[in-house]
């Protein structure tokens, strides 16, 4: 495996690989790799000839009072993991090269970027869309691998790919969880043992939503009833504070009154000083498709 720090070198490698007819897979990350990332890498290894993992803590997707300065980072450990997983290139450019003085161009996926996660973190998805498009242009992947854990990010990136006619296929992989259901996230490292125990309330709330939809069988399920039940789970946890709860159309992010189609059920919760997100995709029985909650190529 080779560590590539410069954009022009990465571009050259991608150009040469494409020239040889190789299928390139990109796993974009901000580092602090965990098993959730490694799942994406393994999928990339299965589907592609050449696997590139990018590690770049993207400053433009963090708000002024967010955790950019303390975001966990350990490139040596990330590189070791990439070697173990058979990654070909670890691309980790500097912020100076990605955003040189005079940088002025941003990508805005209108509407989808301003609600829920975007309302709580203004500018976040503008930063995500911008850096993801830059990474696509540099690495020129045939496939790019994202985790369902960042459900709204997947929707925003998918829309950008369609709207800008990008020639890359999004492969969405299921959220990886600890045994007690907590979704794997680099930010879990911020949690104290008490907070770590409390953090399972996100998964418990989502499981409650799943139960209610299951109980409803074929019929549409009242979204407000699901929200109330989820709220109850979060509010019963003293260390937790709900930021938002969203039950929306899984593609358009339009808020649903009844779950009568594939729905994204998403939430953000503060556990102490740490903000965690999680989601599931649910559908009433009669609209359920095989693999709806798993990988969506
Ligand atoms: O999901 C992430 O880690 C980041 O948002 C991404 C896609 C690498 C862009 O910085």
């Amino acid at each position: 495996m080779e560590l590539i720090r410069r954009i022009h070198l990465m571009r050259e490698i991608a150009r040469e690989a494409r020239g040889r007819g190789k299928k390139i897979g990109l796993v974009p990350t901000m580092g602090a790799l965990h098993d959730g990332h490694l799942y994406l890498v393994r999928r990339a290894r299965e589907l592609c000839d050449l696997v590139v993992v990018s590690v770049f803590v993207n400053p433009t997707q963090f708000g002024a009072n967010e955790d950019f300065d303390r975001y966990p980072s350990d490139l040596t450990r990330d590189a070791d993991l990439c070697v173990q997983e058979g990654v070909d290139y670890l691309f980790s450019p500097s912020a100076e090269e990605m955003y040189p003085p005079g940088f002025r161009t941003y990508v805005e996926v209108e509407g989808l970027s301003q609600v829920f996660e975007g309302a709580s973190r203004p500018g976040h998805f503008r930063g995500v869309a911008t850096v993801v498009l830059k990474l696509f242009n540099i690495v020129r992947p045939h496939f790019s691998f994202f985790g369902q854990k960042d459900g709204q990010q997947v929707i925003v990136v998918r829309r950008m790919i369609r709207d800008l006619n990008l020639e890359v296929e999004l492969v969405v992989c299921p959220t990886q969880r600890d045994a007690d259901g907590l979704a794997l996230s680099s930010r879990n490292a911020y949690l104290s043992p008490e907070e770590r125990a409390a953090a399972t309330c996100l998964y418990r709330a989502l499981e409650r939503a799943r139960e209610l939809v299951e109980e409803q069988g074929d019929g549409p399920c009242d979204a407000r009833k699901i929200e109330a039940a989820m709220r109850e789970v979060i509010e019963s946890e003293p260390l937790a504070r709900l930021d938002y709860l969203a039950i929306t159309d899984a593609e358009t992010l339009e808020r649903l009154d009844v779950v009568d189609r594939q729905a994204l059920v998403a939430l953000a919760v503060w556990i102490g000083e740490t903000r965690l997100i999680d989601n599931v995709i649910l559908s009433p029985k009669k609209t359920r498709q095989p693999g709806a909650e798993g990988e969506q190529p």
Side-chain angles (χ1 to χ4, degrees), residues 8 42 209 237 278-279 283 287:
H8 74 276
R42 286 172 200 148
E237 179 50 71
D278 199 353
N279 71 83
S283 5
T287 60

Side-chain angles (χ1 to χ4, degrees), residues 95-276:
E96 293 69 32
E97 212 188 352
M98 287 293 270
Y99 298 107
F103 186 92
R104 287 281 177 276
T105 308
Y106 292 89
V107 180
E108 186 77 67
V109 181
E110 293 182 347
L112 298 179
S113 293
Q114 278 78 37
V115 291
F116 309 120
E117 194 62 11
S120 290
R121 305 184 64 191
H124 170 66
F125 287 117
R126 181 174 95 136
V128 169
T130 302
V131 81
V132 169
L133 181 60
K134 282 174 70 73
L135 291 168
F136 285 172
N137 283 333
I138 296 165
V139 179
R140 297 187 55 213
H142 298 82
F143 296 93
S144 188
F145 297 80
F146 285 76
Q148 177 57 38
K149 150 89 177 20
D150 296 300
Q152 191 173 350
Q153 170 168 281
V154 165
I155 291 169
V156 167
V157 172
R158 184 181 287 130
R159 188 76 257 169
M160 175 181 78
I161 289 173
R162 282 191 198 153
D163 288 353
L164 299 182
N165 310 99
L166 304 179
E167 278 193 295
V168 53
E169 192 171 321
L170 196 63
V171 181
V172 183
C173 298
T175 303
Q176 299 302 298
R177 300 180 180 281
D178 274 339
D180 60 5
L182 180 67
L184 300 189
S185 161
S186 304
R187 289 190 169 98
N188 293 352
Y190 298 150
L191 300 170
S192 69
E194 297 72 34
E195 290 170 342
R196 169 66 189 75
T200 58
C201 68
L202 282 88
Y203 179 67
R204 286 185 276 123
L206 292 170
E207 280 300 288
R208 190 74 196 98
R210 191 197 303 277
E211 280 163 20
L212 288 171
V213 172
E214 292 282 332
E215 276 168 24
Q216 209 60 34
D218 277 355
C221 192
D222 181 348
R224 297 296 88 77
K225 192 171 142 194
I226 301 176
E227 280 179 8
M230 292 177 71
R231 211 173 276 278
E232 209 174 286
V233 174
I234 303 298
E235 284 170 0
S236 70
E237 179 50 71
L239 293 181
R241 184 166 51 83
L242 184 65
D243 179 357
Y244 68 80
L245 238 180
I247 302 184
T248 75
D249 180 285
E251 196 171 334
T252 64
L253 287 179
E254 170 205 345
R255 208 182 253 281
L256 296 180
D257 290 327
V258 284
V259 177
D260 54 0
R261 62 192 101 155
Q262 207 170 65
L264 175 75
V265 180
L267 77 175
V269 177
W270 286 96
I271 306 288
E273 298 293 299
T274 304
R275 188 172 171 284
L276 299 177

